[in-house]
Every structure is written in structure tokens, then in C-alpha cells.
Amino acid sequence: MSSSKSNSIVFVTSDLYYVKGFLVNQIKEAAKSFDVCLVANADRSSVHEIFGDSIAFKNFNIQRKIAIVQDVYSFLSLLLFLIIYRPSIVHSTTPKAGLFSMVSAFLARVPFRLHTFTGQVWQTKRGFYRSFLKMLDRLTAVTSTHILCDSHSQREYLLQESVVRKNKSHVILNGSIRGVDPNKFRPRIDYRVEVRWEINIPDNSILILYMARFTRDKGALLMAQAFRELASKNSDTFLLMVGPDEEDLSAEISSLLIDCKSSYALLNYTDSPERYFAACDIFCLPSYREGFPMVLLNAASSAVPVVASRIYGSSDVVVENKTGMLFNPGDVNELVEKLARLSGDKDLIKDFGKNARAFAINNFSEGQITRELMDIYRKRAFPVNPGL
């Protein structure tokens, strides 16, 4: 890889899980016009399997969690790389990768430094820890030249909290980090039959899907608590939880669901999320914080109604009582009530699902979002939007 590339982009993010979920098509599109290097905590063979020889790759072992000695090494390695490589653009996502890349790119004098905020860890914290994490996000914003927020409600929140500036921040179209591919996420009878056979659930049962990291912030335990109550009232419901267990919650979830052993299944991360969206009847995301939850958009495109927390980000995707239902975050009784109402009315499920797919396709096209992002890269500037 040569240095001093005047038309080059370095993407920095936490891991390959995030790349696969949100960045693949954007990176591939950027590689058509730019020299691209991906910095992520992954192995070279896995990256090559996705991108072939179209991009370069570096791993500086930037971990999600705090590890002081490793963090210092990762930051200095990234800084040295940027000084030598001298890219024209650095684009980062995820909190720690964003902090490291924006500060190091600032010190390396990279001219266009773009970070995408996709939710705030500190939103649900209290006291010193909240203030400290918020300060780190402000540092990320200050050392960047441009900030993208993946939802309009998140941008408003960050403006209110004085984390970003109005003239320096932007939301692409209606929001989301990448938009949705309606050809990938769509109703498919074959997937519905296959998945239900795999997890041993009858076709006429109501399948509720949770697909997110198994963490407290994502509401994994709340999901289990709510389903336990729902299953005691309606034995014809089934819960499928899919995602990486980042906080070792599987045992606690299983303990909460001990009385409904035959009515739930836990699966790890999947490279084929579209199969599970096509198989379910209702999607539930009881998260306590979000930027713009792509899973809600994927569910909508799959013609699946959703039940989600009434928080910023989620409220950008759900049209209440038209494409899904919202409940107050953490309120297990309200969550159970909304799930019971929807699961008990198959006509309502069908109507909400039809509305949801139309809403997703009309407002969150992946192609349109990718084209605008590429235009931002080429012009090194956001579109002019008077009044924003």
C-alpha cells in the first residue's frame, strides 16, 4: 500500500460484525472511486472473503471495552499509520473507534474527518460515568470536521446536549446508516418454512423475533421477562432471540424462561438475518437506547410489524399504530400488553406489515443513501439544507 493518497478513504470501526451489518455495500461502492482501507478488529481472511482485493486492511486491535494498555497501543498504531498513509478522508463508526480515529486523524492532519454517531452509550448512565463518556463523544465531535447522525431525533438530542454543532452535523435523507435493501429483506415463504422447521415451531404459531446483541441496554432481559408473562396467557406464541451474547446473559434469559422451555430458542450471530425476519410474525426491540435501529427497518421491509421502545431513533422508524407499536422503555407491563394485542390479531399483523414495507421502501432506500454518502466523499462537504 503506497502512501500519500490524495483520493483515499480509511474506514475505522470496531469489528467485522458491524461491517457486515452496516458497511459492506458502502465500502464496496467507495472502492469504485477511491483507494479504500478498512481498519477493524478482524482477521484478514474474513475481510478478503467479503471484499476480495478491492480494499486494503489493517487490524490495530481496537476493542469495544476499555483495556488501557491495549488502548494506548491501538491508538498510537492508528496514529502512526495515518501519518504515514496520509489519507484524504477518515470515516469512523462506533464509539471507541470513532474517538481514536478522529483524534488521531486530527493529529495527523487528515483534511476530511467524518464520524457517524449511531447511539450514545452515556444516554442510560448516571453520575460521573455519564459525564465522562459524554465528554469523550464531545472530543470525537470536536476533532472531526463533519458529523453524521443516523436519525433526525438523535441529531436533535445531540444538539440539545451540546455534543455536536448545528452547522457541522447532518442526517442523510430520512436517516439510517445504510438504508434497506427491499430485495434482500422481503416476505419469503421458503425462509418461513425452513426456519420454523429448524426451530420446531408450527406455521400457525405466532413467532416473535428479537435480533440484537444480548445486552441489558438492548433490552434482552426485558424481552425474556415480557415473553414469560405473554406465554403464560397465550401458549400459541414462540420467542426466537438471535444475536451475540456480549454480557453472558444466556443463562439468565434461560432461567427467566424456565417455565416455557418449549416456546423459545436462543441463537448466536447470523450472516443471514433476512431468513429470520421472513420467518417471524412480530419483531420486538425493547432497547433502552438507539441511534437508528436498522433491525426495525429490516423488519419493516420484510412486512413484519414491530413493537419497540418509545425512544429516539426507534421513533424515526415506527409509525405508531400503523406499522407497529411503541411502549415506554423499561415498562414490562406495557410491553406485554402491546405484544398481546398484536399477537392476538392476525389481521392487524397483516395490515401493519403491509404498511411497514411500503413505509420502508418509500423512505429508506439503500441506493439513495449510498449515493448521497458518495457525493459527500467526493465534495468533502454536506449538502446545503437551509434551516437545518
Side-chain angles (χ1 to χ4, degrees):
M1 182 169 56
S2 62
S3 62
S4 191
K5 291 182 178 292
S6 60
N7 203 37
S8 57
I9 302 177
V10 173
F11 289 92
V12 187
T13 193
S14 57
D15 50 44
L16 202 59
Y17 169 71
Y18 195 89
V19 173
K20 288 179 177 179
F22 306 109
L23 304 179
V24 169
N25 288 343
Q26 293 178 2
I27 292 175
K28 286 182 176 179
E29 189 64 27
K32 295 176 182 178
S33 305
F34 297 84
D35 292 311
V36 172
C37 179
L38 171 65
V39 175
N41 194 359
D43 62 85
R44 188 173 298 277
S45 61
S46 298
V47 173
H48 186 271
E49 185 177 332
I50 300 171
F51 299 105
D53 296 321
S54 64
I55 69 169
F57 169 69
K58 293 288 184 180
N59 182 357
F60 299 123
N61 199 19
I62 302 174
Q63 301 176 8
R64 280 182 177 269
K65 296 182 179 180
I66 296 174
I68 295 177
V69 175
Q70 180 59 52
D71 288 346
V72 171
Y73 176 80
S74 299
F75 173 78
L76 293 177
S77 299
L78 178 60
L79 174 59
L80 181 62
F81 166 70
L82 294 178
I83 290 172
I84 295 172
Y85 185 49
R86 296 169 60 196
S88 52
I89 300 171
V90 171
H91 186 178
S92 62
T93 55
T94 67
K96 188 192 284 187
L99 175 66
F100 285 12
S101 56
M102 290 300 98
V103 173
S104 60
F106 172 80
L107 295 174
R109 298 185 178 181
V110 175
F112 191 77
R113 306 181 296 276
L114 175 65
H115 176 69
T116 299
F117 279 117
T118 57
Q120 285 62 59
V121 176
W122 46 267
Q123 183 193 358
T124 56
K125 307 300 181 185
R126 296 290 182 270
F128 172 78
Y129 194 42
R130 172 187 168 90
S131 299
F132 176 70
L133 293 175
K134 186 176 176 180
M135 179 195 70
L136 296 181
D137 270 2
R138 281 179 175 153
L139 181 57
T140 299
V142 166
T143 51
S144 70
T145 59
H146 296 73
I147 291 291
L148 281 175
C149 302
D150 63 358
S151 73
H152 289 279
S153 57
Q154 181 191 193
R155 180 173 180 257
E156 288 303 314
Y157 179 74
L158 291 175
L159 288 170
Q160 292 170 10
E161 294 289 329
S162 301
V163 174
V164 303
R165 297 204 311 265
K166 197 169 187 178
N167 64 350
K168 193 177 176 179
S169 57
H170 179 69
V171 179
I172 294 179
L173 300 177
N174 293 308
S176 102
I177 192 170
R178 49 159 277 197
V180 69
D181 179 354
N183 294 315
K184 179 179 180 180
F185 292 96
R186 60 187 175 89
R188 284 189 54 166
I189 295 297
D190 55 340
Y191 284 164
R192 182 181 177 90
V193 172
E194 288 173 9
V195 170
R196 284 171 176 254
W197 180 83
E198 289 169 8
I199 60 178
N200 193 28
I201 172 176
D203 183 64
N204 59 351
S205 293
I206 299 298
L207 175 57
I208 299 169
L209 174 65
Y210 166 102
M211 183 178 289
R213 290 177 288 118
F214 287 14
T215 67
R216 288 172 175 79
D217 276 357
K218 288 291 184 182
L221 294 180
L222 185 66
M223 181 75 259
Q225 292 165 3
F227 184 76
R228 179 181 60 187
E229 298 301 317
L230 180 68
S232 69
K233 302 173 183 177
N234 185 353
S235 60
D236 197 32
T237 55
F238 195 98
L239 173 65
L240 175 60
M241 298 182 68
V242 182
D245 187 357
E246 294 189 356
E247 294 181 357
D248 296 324
L249 297 180
S250 292
E252 190 170 352
I253 290 170
S254 296
S255 177
L256 286 167
L257 298 175
I258 194 168
D259 292 330
C260 39
K261 288 182 179 180
S262 61
S263 299
Y264 80 95
L266 307 182
L267 300 180
N268 206 331
Y269 169 77
T270 176
D271 283 331
S272 305
E274 65 276 11
R275 297 180 69 245
Y276 299 99
F277 284 109
C280 74
D281 298 291
I282 300 169
F283 183 80
C284 186
L285 184 67
S287 182
Y288 291 90
R289 62 175 180 86
E290 291 291 340
F292 184 104
M294 279 299 304
V295 286
L296 295 184
L297 192 55
N298 294 340
S301 182
S302 304
V304 175
V306 304
V307 177
S309 310
R310 188 178 285 105
I311 55 176
Y312 77 73
S314 294
S315 59
D316 292 64
V317 196
V318 181
V319 183
E320 195 162 10
N321 295 320
K322 185 175 180 181
T323 69
M325 297 178 178
L326 298 173
F327 72 98
N328 291 319
D331 189 335
V332 66
N333 292 326
E334 187 181 9
L335 174 56
V336 172
E337 185 269 323
K338 295 293 173 68
L339 287 172
R341 180 184 165 197
L342 193 53
S343 63
D345 191 336
K346 292 187 177 181
D347 288 336
L348 189 61
I349 288 175
K350 185 177 179 180
D351 289 343
F352 277 13
K354 181 180 178 181
N355 295 339
R357 180 162 170 81
F359 177 72
I361 293 172
N362 292 336
N363 292 280
F364 299 99
S365 162
E366 181 178 32
Q368 289 180 332
I369 290 173
T370 299
R371 283 192 292 273
E372 180 155 328
L373 180 61
M374 295 306 116
D375 199 45
I376 290 170
Y377 291 154
R378 285 189 291 268
K379 295 179 179 177
R380 314 290 200 270
F382 290 145
V384 177
N385 292 301
L388 291 183

